[in-house]
Amino acid sequence: MNLPHWLADWLGNPSFLLSLLSGAVGAVWALSEVMGEFKTETPRALRTAGAWLLVAVNFLAAAVIFRLTVELVPNARGWPTALFIGFAWPTVFRNLSLKLTQPISATDSEAPAIRLEQAYSNVQRLALQLINSVLTRQRMRLLNRVMQFNLADLERYARRMSAISPQQINQEFIDKVMQRPVDDDAKKAHLVALLMDNFTRDAIDDFLKENRNRELRS
Amino acid sequence: MSESPLLQTRLIELAQQLTELQRRILQALKDKGPGLLLEVAVRVLKFPEDVYEPLRELQVNSLVETQNVRGGQFGSELYSLTADGDRVVRLLNDPAFIREIRIAAPAAPDPRRQEVELLNKLGDVAKEKGELDKAVDYYQQALSIARDLGVEGSGK
């Protein structure tokens, strides 16, 4: 296969490959942040634009810092530096504050500065909001689908899941939900939340598959 | 980034003032990530009306923040831990900190001991009114609970 000329040039350039290495390590940090935040929801979170925004920012930042470093210190060009910068990006560079002026008065702490930590925190917050918003909408859609099914079927399923799983749901809580003086939809919402919380959304997917033919007519 | 001593003190004070339910809510948000009102409630095996106020208090203390979403049946605000909330959870998971809190706050009085005292007082009142049968009944109830407490105490 013939690669485009520009791509062949890039791939033949060791500095470019080392930048990719540095960026890849930065991206792994971003993935670990997503995993830490979303735990069992990580696979779904990774299918959102917010997650890739975070990965891209970390990738680019680490790669750009590596490029800057090798431009300033040509002898630093090598895989150890690329790895080091990738690993050091979240712990060292991301927490930097670049003061633009140094006020004479020692009490003036509001000097203009580029606070990378603040900038990254804003990106991170935006990414989390984007991910949360998508995941929440997905859960809502799932709940709306479950609303079309019989409450008794859902209750039976929740009790069965609780009985066969080592991660048991408190049966008393299911009893309390069923005894609440609220309508069936509210009870279904509680049971769905309980199932999703204890057995992830896959449990609801299984319920929907299992009861495909028992859907209520709305 | 290092925390200022002032912030650290504020977080310690907040952590000490949290109710058991608020601690469980914070831990659930840490373990399972952000959630809508109903989801947060279910995680601590409660109902939305039980956790609404505790969550509001956590929000006022900047330990929890909300994001508006269209959540329908689940609620319209997505609750998540703030950076301070995360620090408080870490404090609450520190065995040394928990030990310190327990020493600082003496154990709540056993409600059954209070019940024994109240039954004895009711017995006294009944005796004064000349209702001896009733008084004996109150004293016997008090005695029975006191014996149970004695058995539990010696079994420890």
Side-chain angles (χ1 to χ4, degrees):
Chain A
M1 190 177 69
N2 282 335
L3 290 172
H5 189 61
W6 58 271
L7 186 58
D9 278 354
W10 273 10
L11 291 178
N13 180 351
S15 285
F16 176 74
L17 294 176
L18 290 171
S19 299
L20 288 184
L21 175 63
S22 212
V25 178
V28 169
W29 278 118
L31 290 175
S32 73
E33 276 178 30
V34 175
M35 284 165 69
E37 182 70 19
F38 293 96
K39 311 218 164 53
T40 54
E41 291 270 52
T42 300
R44 287 186 181 92
L46 288 176
R47 291 199 287 267
T48 64
W52 290 103
L53 169 71
L54 205 60
V55 170
V57 165
N58 278 275
F59 180 93
L60 284 174
V64 166
I65 290 173
F66 175 75
R67 288 294 298 175
L68 283 174
T69 308
V70 294
E71 289 300 324
L72 293 170
V73 189
N75 286 342
R77 184 174 287 128
W79 65 265
T81 313
L83 279 181
F84 174 77
I85 287 174
F87 281 118
W89 147 246
T91 51
V92 181
F93 302 108
R94 213 158 73 184
N95 292 325
L96 279 182
S97 277
L98 307 174
K99 271 195 176 181
L100 301 178
T101 60
Q102 178 61 49
I104 294 172
S105 159
T107 55
D108 187 0
S109 58
E110 294 301 311
I114 299 171
R115 296 181 198 284
L116 289 183
E117 188 198 20
Q118 188 60 46
Y120 183 75
S121 155
N122 291 339
V123 172
Q124 201 179 36
R125 178 181 285 261
L126 172 67
L128 290 183
Q129 284 182 349
L130 289 171
I131 300 171
N132 280 327
S133 161
V134 172
L135 294 183
T136 307
R137 283 206 309 275
Q138 289 175 357
R139 293 204 295 271
M140 287 313 99
R141 280 201 290 272
L142 210 50
L143 173 65
N144 286 337
R145 287 183 62 196
V146 175
M147 288 298 164
Q148 308 300 316
F149 290 81
N150 203 317
L151 175 64
D153 290 336
L154 188 60
E155 183 200 353
R156 207 173 306 120
Y157 181 74
R159 289 192 190 280
R160 200 177 67 210
M161 285 296 286
S162 165
I164 61 173
S165 163
Q167 206 180 337
Q168 286 196 352
I169 298 179
N170 188 334
Q171 294 275 355
E172 275 177 33
F173 188 70
I174 300 178
D175 294 339
K176 280 188 198 167
V177 169
M178 297 310 293
Q179 286 159 11
R180 291 199 92 200
V182 290
D183 62 25
D184 281 5
D185 282 358
K187 288 178 187 172
K188 284 180 201 172
H190 276 88
L191 291 178
V192 169
L194 191 68
L195 282 165
M196 277 199 226
D197 185 50
N198 286 278
F199 306 109
T200 78
R201 261 191 277 167
D202 295 337
I204 302 295
D205 286 332
D206 289 345
F207 171 78
L208 293 172
K209 273 184 217 153
E210 211 175 276
N211 292 275
R212 205 176 295 142
N213 304 321
R214 301 170 69 92
E215 203 165 339
L216 297 171
R217 300 220 178 270
S218 51
Chain B
M1 192 179 62
S2 61
E3 288 167 13
S4 75
L6 210 63
L7 175 66
Q8 184 76 20
T9 311
R10 185 185 152 259
L11 294 180
I12 290 173
E13 280 173 7
L14 274 176
Q16 285 172 331
Q17 288 163 7
L18 294 175
T19 62
E20 183 55 36
L21 179 57
Q22 285 173 325
R23 288 179 195 181
R24 281 167 54 203
I25 290 172
L26 288 179
Q27 189 65 53
L29 286 172
K30 170 84 179 167
D31 292 342
K32 305 210 166 165
L36 294 159
L37 182 65
L38 176 61
E39 295 175 305
V40 175
V42 161
R43 285 175 195 175
V44 292
L45 299 178
K46 295 275 178 193
F47 294 105
E49 61 272 21
D50 302 324
V51 297
Y52 183 77
E53 275 307 317
L55 268 171
R56 280 278 162 253
E57 274 178 37
L58 291 172
Q59 201 183 346
V60 167
N61 287 318
S62 304
L63 300 181
V64 161
E65 62 189 353
T66 56
Q67 177 189 338
N68 284 327
V69 287
R70 269 187 251 150
Q73 293 264 0
F74 279 20
S76 58
E77 284 180 321
L78 187 72
Y79 293 88
S80 55
L81 276 186
T82 60
D84 283 353
D86 193 68
R87 289 187 192 110
V88 166
V89 174
R90 264 183 274 150
L91 269 178
L92 293 171
N93 286 324
D94 179 355
F97 179 74
I98 295 296
R99 222 175 300 131
E100 213 172 285
I101 292 180
R102 286 201 182 127
I103 292 166
D110 189 332
R112 286 179 303 169
R113 286 198 191 285
Q114 290 174 316
E115 198 180 343
V116 170
E117 284 172 25
L118 284 172
L119 285 166
N120 277 325
K121 279 180 189 164
L122 283 171
D124 292 344
V125 171
K127 195 168 79 177
E128 279 170 23
K129 285 169 77 180
E131 297 172 353
L132 291 178
D133 288 346
K134 230 175 177 180
V136 169
D137 191 36
Y138 283 131
Y139 290 137
Q140 276 177 342
Q141 282 182 53
L143 182 65
S144 159
I145 296 171
R147 276 186 183 143
D148 288 347
L149 285 170
V151 170
E152 281 175 26
S154 62
K156 276 177 191 171

